[in-house]
C-alpha cells in the first residue's frame, strides 16, 4: 500500500493495481486460472465500483473469459464483503473456486466527486441526511461526546506507528506484499523513472505521541482528530483465493485457513465509528466462541477515537489488537482493506502459532462488519 498522491503508486490506476494482485495470486498459488469460477472485487470510489475495468484487469491477469467477475461496494468493508460473498457462494454450492479481492486508487478517485448530490427528498429527512456527514466530522463529534481525549488518541496512534515500524523492519510484511514495477515522474526533474514498490510507504519511523501533538486538528478548531491519528489516504490492492476443502485437497493446494462466519449490522449514521462494537459480538455468537477464544484482532483504524472506543467497550486485550499496526500507520485504501486484513491476519497467526482471528471495521453511513477466521 502506498500514500495517495504523494508516492510511487499515485500514477498507477486501480485496475492496474488489481491486475498485479491477480497475477501474484495466480503465480504464488499455482492455481489453474480456468478453475476460478467467480471473482468479487470490493471498491468504493470508482464509478460503478469499477466493474468494467476490473473485469478487464482479470482478463489481463490471466483469468479466462469463463471466470466471472462482479464489483461490490459496501464502503470500507467492501474488500471483506467480496471475500465473504465468495465464501458463501462456495458454501451454498454455487461455485467451487473463487477469488475475493479489494482495490482502491484514492489518488485517482478520492474527493468531493466520490459522493453524489442528495435529492431534496433525502435532504429533508433528518436521518437520511446524516448519511452524507463527513466521517471526520462525525468522528470528531463522537470523540467529544464520549470523552475520548486527544491524548489517548495520539497515544494509540503512536503505538500503531511503532508496531508497524518494528514489523516492517523485521520483515513481517514481506509474505503479503507482491513487489510491483511502476512508472513514476520525478516532480523535481520531470523525468519518468521505472521503480519497484516493495513496501508500505506510509509508515513513519520514530513516531511518538509527543510528535503527534504538533499536528493541527483537521475538522474542528481545538478538535482532537488530525492526520496523524486517523487512517491514511492510500492506494492498494489485495486478493484472496478461496475454495471448497475437498477441492483444495484434490488440487494439492495448501490450506492456509478457513472462513467461519461473518456479521453485518447497522448503526446510526452519525455513530458510524461504533460499528465494530456492534458487529463483533454478533460474529462471535454465530461462531459459538467468546472474545477470550480470539488470538488476534485485526480492527480497522479508521480513526484512533473510534477504534480505541470499540476496543475498550468490548473489553478486548489491546495487545491482541493489530499487533503489527493498523491503518493509521500504513493506510486504508477503502475497498482494499477488508481483503488485506485477511492476509495480514493469517500471516501473523502462522508466525505466532495462534489459531483464531477476527477482522472487523466500521462502515460509512452507519454500519459495522466482522468475520471469524481459523488458521489450519
Amino acid at each position: 500500500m502506498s500514500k495517495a498522491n504523494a508516492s510511487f503508486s499515485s500514477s498507477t490506476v486501480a485496475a492496474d493495481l488489481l491486475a498485479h494482485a491477480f497475477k501474484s495470486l495466480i503465480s504464488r498459488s499455482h492455481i489453474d486460472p480456468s478453475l476460478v469460477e467467480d471473482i468479487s472485487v470490493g471498491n468504493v470510489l470508482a464509478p460503478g465500483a469499477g466493474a468494467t475495468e476490473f473485469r478487464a484487469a482479470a482478463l489481463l491477469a490471466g483469468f479466462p473469459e469463463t471466470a466471472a467477475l462482479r464489483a461490490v461496494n459496501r464502503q470500507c468493508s467492501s474488500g471483506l464483503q467480496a471475500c465473504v460473498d465468495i465464501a458463501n457462494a462456495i458454501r451454498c454450492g454455487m461455485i467451487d473456486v473463487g477469488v475475493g479481492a479489494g482495490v482502491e486508487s484514492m489518488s485517482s478517485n478520492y474527493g468531493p466527486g466520490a459522493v453524489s448530490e442528495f435529492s431534496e427528498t433525502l435532504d429533508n429527512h433528518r436521518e437520511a441526511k446524516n448519511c452524507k456527514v463527513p466521517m471526520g466530522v462525525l468522528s470528531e463529534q463522537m470523540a467529544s461526546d464520549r470523552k475520548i481525549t486527544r491524548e489517548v488518541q495520539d497515544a494509540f496512534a503512536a503505538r500503531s506507528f511503532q508496531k508497524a515500524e518494528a514489523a516492517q523492519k523485521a520483515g513481517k510484511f514481506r509474505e503479503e506484499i507482491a513487489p510491483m514495477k511502476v512508472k513514476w515522474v520525478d516532480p523535481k526533474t520531470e523525468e519518468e523513472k521505472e521503480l519497484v514498490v516493495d513496501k508500505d510507504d506510509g509508515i513513519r519511523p520514530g513516531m511518538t505521541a509527543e510528535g503527534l501533538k504538533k499536528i493541527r486538528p483537521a475538522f474542528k478548531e481545538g478538535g482532537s482528530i488530525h492526520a496523524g491519528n486517523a487512517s491514511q489516504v492510500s492506494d492498494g490492492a489485495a486478493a484472496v483465493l478461496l475454495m471448497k476443502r475437498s477441492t483444495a485437497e484434490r488440487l494439492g493446494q495448501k490450506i492456509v485457513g478457513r472462513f467461519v462466519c461473518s456479521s453485518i449490522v447497522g448503526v446510526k449514521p452519525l455513530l458510524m465509528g461504533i460499528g465494530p462494537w456492534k458487529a463483533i459480538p454478533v460474529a462471535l455468537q454465530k461462531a459459538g466462541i467468546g472474545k477470550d477464544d480470539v488470538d488476534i484482532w485485526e480492527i480497522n483504524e479508521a480513526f484512533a477515537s473510534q477504534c480505541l472506543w470499540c476496543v475498550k467497550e468490548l473489553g478486548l486485550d489491546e495487545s491482541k489488537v493489530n499487533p503489527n499496526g493498523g491503518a493509521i500507520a500504513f493506510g486504508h485504501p477503502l475497498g482494499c482493506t477488508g481483503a488485506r486484513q485477511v492476509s495480514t491476519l493469517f500471516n501473523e497467526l502462522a508466525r505466532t502459532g495462534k489459531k483464531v482471528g477476527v477482522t472487523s471495521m466500521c462502515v460509512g453511513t452507519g454500519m459495522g462488519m466482522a468475520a471469524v477466521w481459523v488458521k489450519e
Side-chain angles (χ1 to χ4, degrees):
M1 296 179 291
S2 291
K3 293 181 288 185
N5 299 312
S7 69
F8 303 130
S9 73
S10 59
S11 59
T12 306
V13 299
D16 289 353
L17 293 171
L18 183 64
H20 180 72
F22 284 159
K23 288 177 181 178
S24 176
L25 179 145
I26 293 169
S27 65
R28 290 188 181 197
S29 67
H30 304 292
I31 187 70
D32 178 350
S34 69
L35 297 176
V36 174
E37 297 161 275
D38 198 13
I39 302 168
S40 185
V41 181
N43 182 269
V44 179
L45 300 176
T52 301
E53 58 264 41
F54 298 163
R55 164 71 167 163
L59 296 171
L60 171 66
F63 291 108
E65 70 278 2
T66 53
L69 182 143
R70 68 181 179 274
V72 178
N73 183 353
R74 199 195 284 275
Q75 306 276 24
C76 300
S77 66
S78 298
L80 176 57
Q81 187 67 60
C83 293
V84 168
D85 284 353
I86 293 297
N88 286 334
I90 293 169
R91 181 170 282 168
C92 76
M94 184 177 178
I95 63 172
D96 286 343
V97 182
V99 173
V103 65
E104 206 73 65
S105 172
M106 298 185 79
S107 294
S108 303
N109 301 113
Y110 187 61
V115 180
S116 58
E117 289 295 321
F118 273 25
S119 67
E120 183 179 349
T121 306
L122 292 177
D123 268 338
N124 286 337
H125 186 282
R126 182 176 178 181
E127 197 73 325
K129 186 176 182 178
N130 286 339
C131 286
K132 71 175 184 179
V133 176
M135 284 183 280
V137 173
L138 62 86
S139 295
E140 184 70 72
Q141 188 60 51
M142 176 186 165
S144 176
D145 292 344
R146 306 204 173 202
K147 298 184 171 46
I148 309 165
T149 66
R150 172 162 179 168
E151 286 71 27
V152 298
Q153 292 178 58
D154 285 353
F156 180 86
R159 288 194 294 276
S160 182
F161 279 111
Q162 290 159 7
K163 289 185 290 186
E165 181 184 1
Q168 189 174 66
K169 286 181 177 178
K172 291 183 178 181
F173 298 132
R174 287 195 196 115
E175 287 298 311
E176 60 186 276
I177 292 176
M180 182 179 185
K181 287 184 180 179
V182 299
K183 291 182 179 179
W184 176 70
V185 177
D186 188 325
K188 296 180 179 178
T189 64
E190 297 186 353
E191 179 186 358
E192 184 177 86
K193 302 178 181 179
E194 187 174 79
L195 304 169
V196 175
V197 179
D198 60 1
K199 65 180 181 180
D200 303 321
D201 62 15
I203 300 171
R204 306 174 197 172
M207 185 58 70
T208 64
E210 286 296 319
L212 290 170
K213 284 182 181 179
K214 302 173 184 177
I215 304 176
R216 296 178 59 184
F219 304 103
K220 176 184 175 183
E221 188 71 30
S224 63
I225 296 175
H226 54 78
N229 62 22
S231 57
Q232 297 182 35
V233 178
S234 309
D235 305 329
V240 181
L241 178 65
L242 300 108
M243 64 184 71
K244 288 177 62 175
R245 178 179 293 273
S246 59
T247 302
E249 291 171 344
R250 175 170 54 82
L251 296 175
Q253 282 284 330
K254 178 182 178 182
I255 300 175
V256 175
R258 61 187 170 92
F259 165 76
V260 179
C261 64
S262 64
S263 65
I264 183 68
V265 301
V267 299
K268 286 185 174 297
L270 292 182
L271 293 176
M272 170 275 308
I274 72 171
W277 166 76
K278 190 171 182 181
I280 286 173
V282 176
L284 295 181
Q285 183 181 31
K286 289 179 183 293
I289 61 175
K291 65 183 181 183
D292 292 336
D293 297 312
V294 179
D295 297 306
I296 296 174
W297 305 87
E298 282 290 331
I299 302 176
N300 189 42
E301 299 168 353
F303 299 89
S305 57
Q306 59 80 213
C307 189
L308 181 59
W309 185 87
C310 289
V311 169
K312 297 295 186 186
E313 287 296 308
L314 288 168
L316 305 183
D317 179 348
E318 196 176 326
S319 69
K320 295 181 177 181
V321 178
N322 303 343
N324 294 318
I328 288 172
F330 44 69
H332 174 30
L334 306 178
C336 167
T337 292
R340 190 276 306 164
Q341 284 181 320
V342 177
S343 176
T344 301
L345 175 66
F346 276 122
N347 275 289
E348 185 62 15
L349 288 171
R351 268 191 299 270
T352 57
K354 304 295 185 182
K355 193 169 184 68
V356 181
V358 169
T359 60
S360 184
M361 68 284 292
C362 59
V363 183
T365 70
M367 292 176 278
M369 192 168 185
V372 179
W373 310 84
V374 173
K375 180 79 176 72
E376 291 284 315

